[in-house]
Amino acid sequence: MTLRIGCIADDFTGGTDVAAAFRRAGLRTALVFGTPDDATVLPADCDAAVIALKSRSTPADEAVADSLTAQRWLWAKGAAQIYFKYCSTFDSTPHGNIGPVTDALMDAAGTATTLHCPASPPNGRTVYQGHLFVHDQLLSDSPLRHHPLNPMTDSALVRLLSAQTRHKVALIDWATVRRGVEAVREAVVTHQQSGVRHIVADALTDDDLAVLGAAALELPVVAGAAGLAEGFGHAYPATGPAAPEPLPREGRAAVLAGSCSARTLEQIAQFYASGLPSLHLDVLAAASGRDVIGEALVWYDGQDAGLPVLIYASASPEELAAVQAQLGVAEAAAQVEELLGTLASHLVERGVRRLLVAGGETSGAVTTALGVRAVLVGQEADPGVPWTYAATKTGDLALMLKSGNFGAPDLFTRTLAAPAEVAR
Ligand code: ADP
């Protein structure tokens, strides 16, 4: 059995999200963290492999180089098609990285056309007339306009992507998508003939994405969020049940949160309101040299081992602005990632075996600190939020890596408070 789909995701939780989508589509899926090398080993018999890069907010030339390395590695493993996964809220700047990376992957594959669709209907992301919606709001009216690294203040995808590529960008509208796979294929050919390189497609439902996925089966490079990946995965014939999952049934449970997204703030509030132990990290104090990690570990050691704990740096938009004004955006982010990565290592050493991490950048910092390179993708707790399983020096670890805005408000308590729930 060889690999069918090779996927490159532009951040760590995005990788988890898209890997879960391939698994839902019936594909046995591995998730690899960071640029793979000769020592990176995939679980046997994978249908799909997702390489989760940290290329969403890096300079465009670095993002391109890492993505091309991942593409070559996936091709060497036999991947027939490359799926470039970016955020369902199209997180990027006017300079990239979605346009430059897609162009580079297409050049390497020798292809002149690709299809884009960031829609992810289970998470409320839809595309209509080329405009990206987050539930009932345009992207530019949603809380994403306040994102700490990629504030999104425009919703028009053709315009957003045109700013990131020198090539032509055009739309396949919903009326065409509703007419089915053949209509979309014809529209792709028509766009191809008029020199369009990036085709953005509307999608409101999973059925629309199934149509787009089937229509994209012949394209060497396809780009979008997890929704299109699932449509794409369903277009491949199924290969049987996933491998058994090495769920740790013992050990402590913890949440580490670095996301400042609205949903993560709700999840933190819900955890706190449930009476479970939670600790806020003082980022400014850490930056001024106080031993915030040592204090957090003393606090952790004093908690009831039977209860999950939450340690968070996450801040409201006002608090975040204040910290960033004092430290600068990059230094503030570096402080938070250092704090949470180091704490993750200490917590696992102290016996945490179920670890939930909130935030894309934060998840990258945590897996790097733990030395976790690849995981098997397991069952989802909420759409786009699966448990994953990793072997570490200290034993099997269940990791949940959550994009800031993902998961229901009670995700933390529901998944961690009762081990029996996780074991189901
Ligand atoms: P999301 O998935 O919600 O985008 P990320 O972890 O990717 O979450 O990004 C959140 C960003 O906010 C990170 O760069 C993190 O370092 C930063 N951050 C979190 N808490 C604070 C804080 N208290 N002060 C300053 N920056 C913070």
Side-chain angles (χ1 to χ4, degrees):
M1 180 89 51
T2 56
L3 196 61
R4 299 151 173 232
I5 302 174
C7 175
I8 300 164
D10 72 351
D11 93 337
F12 278 52
T13 47
T16 305
D17 183 23
V18 72
F22 286 130
R23 188 184 186 274
R24 277 197 302 276
L27 304 180
R28 178 170 158 82
T29 304
L31 176 59
V32 178
F33 300 116
T35 316
D37 55 32
D38 293 345
T40 311
V41 180
L42 283 180
D45 296 334
C46 282
D47 304 306
V50 177
I51 314 278
L53 297 179
K54 220 177 156 184
S55 57
R56 183 172 298 169
S57 309
T58 53
D61 53 349
E62 267 177 49
V64 164
D66 290 347
S67 304
L68 290 175
T69 303
Q71 184 180 44
R72 281 192 296 275
W73 190 89
L74 290 163
W75 278 340
K77 300 285 173 201
Q81 284 186 290
I82 298 294
Y83 189 91
F84 174 40
K85 194 283 179 185
Y86 45 73
C87 189
S88 61
T89 47
F90 212 77
D91 293 14
S92 52
T93 70
H95 312 292
N97 293 336
I98 292 174
V101 169
T102 314
D103 277 331
L105 296 173
M106 292 171 72
D107 286 341
T111 181
T113 311
T114 190
L115 192 73
H116 288 263
C117 185
S120 192
N123 296 305
R125 278 68 158 157
T126 55
V127 181
Y128 184 63
Q129 302 293 3
H131 289 263
L132 182 52
F133 288 81
V134 177
H135 299 286
D136 59 349
Q137 292 178 309
L138 280 167
L139 172 67
S140 50
D141 292 333
S142 78
L144 274 298
R145 71 187 185 281
H146 296 306
H147 189 277
L149 299 178
N150 314 104
M152 297 305 295
T153 54
D154 191 4
S155 311
L157 291 170
V158 170
R159 190 164 55 213
L160 279 166
L161 195 51
S162 295
Q164 299 181 26
T165 176
R166 59 193 171 80
H167 299 283
K168 271 173 93 170
V169 185
L171 178 70
I172 292 180
D173 68 7
W174 188 66
T176 307
V177 177
R178 291 308 286 167
R179 296 212 324 273
V181 177
E182 274 317 307
V184 173
R185 285 203 181 119
E186 282 165 22
V188 168
V189 170
T190 305
H191 278 316
Q192 247 166 358
Q193 286 165 349
S194 60
V196 173
R197 183 169 161 105
H198 297 274
I199 303 171
V200 175
D202 279 351
L204 301 182
T205 64
D206 287 338
D207 287 347
D208 295 339
L209 290 163
V211 166
L212 294 175
L217 268 186
E218 303 300 317
L219 297 174
V221 176
V222 182
L228 180 57
E230 186 171 345
F232 196 50
H234 276 302
Y236 282 87
T239 52
E245 289 155 10
L247 179 83
R249 284 164 202 280
E250 307 196 335
R252 291 179 69 170
V255 185
L256 289 173
S259 164
C260 302
S261 297
R263 178 50 58 89
T264 295
L265 297 179
E266 273 183 82
Q267 288 159 337
I268 290 170
Q270 200 272 347
F271 190 94
Y272 180 80
S274 311
L276 290 167
S278 56
L279 178 72
H280 182 240
L281 297 174
D282 187 336
V283 178
L284 288 177
S288 71
R290 212 173 84 196
D291 183 15
V292 169
I293 291 175
E295 291 168 16
L297 292 174
V298 169
W299 175 85
Y300 172 82
D301 290 339
Q303 301 307 315
D304 178 343
L307 296 178
V309 300
L310 161 67
I311 302 179
Y312 64 102
S314 314
S316 65
E318 300 75 32
E319 289 170 74
L320 178 67
V323 175
Q324 288 181 333
Q326 196 151 332
L327 299 180
V329 174
E331 176 54 23
Q335 276 291 340
V336 172
E337 291 177 22
E338 167 71 20
L339 279 175
L340 293 175
T342 307
L343 274 171
S345 302
H346 285 295
L347 294 185
V348 172
E349 271 166 26
R350 280 166 151 77
V352 165
R353 290 293 170 269
R354 287 174 293 134
L355 181 62
L356 197 163
V357 185
E361 297 293 327
T362 306
S363 294
V366 166
T367 49
T368 303
L370 293 177
V372 170
R373 295 291 305 273
V375 293
L376 183 70
V377 179
Q379 194 175 351
E380 284 170 286
D382 274 328
V385 192
W387 281 106
T388 70
Y389 303 99
T392 72
K393 295 191 293 281
T394 35
D396 287 338
L397 178 68
L399 264 178
M400 187 179 285
L401 306 172
K402 181 193 96 71
S403 182
N405 267 321
F406 278 24
D410 69 345
L411 177 74
F412 296 176
T413 49
R414 176 164 38 90
T415 54
L416 293 182
E421 176 102 12
V422 184
R424 249 202 342 241

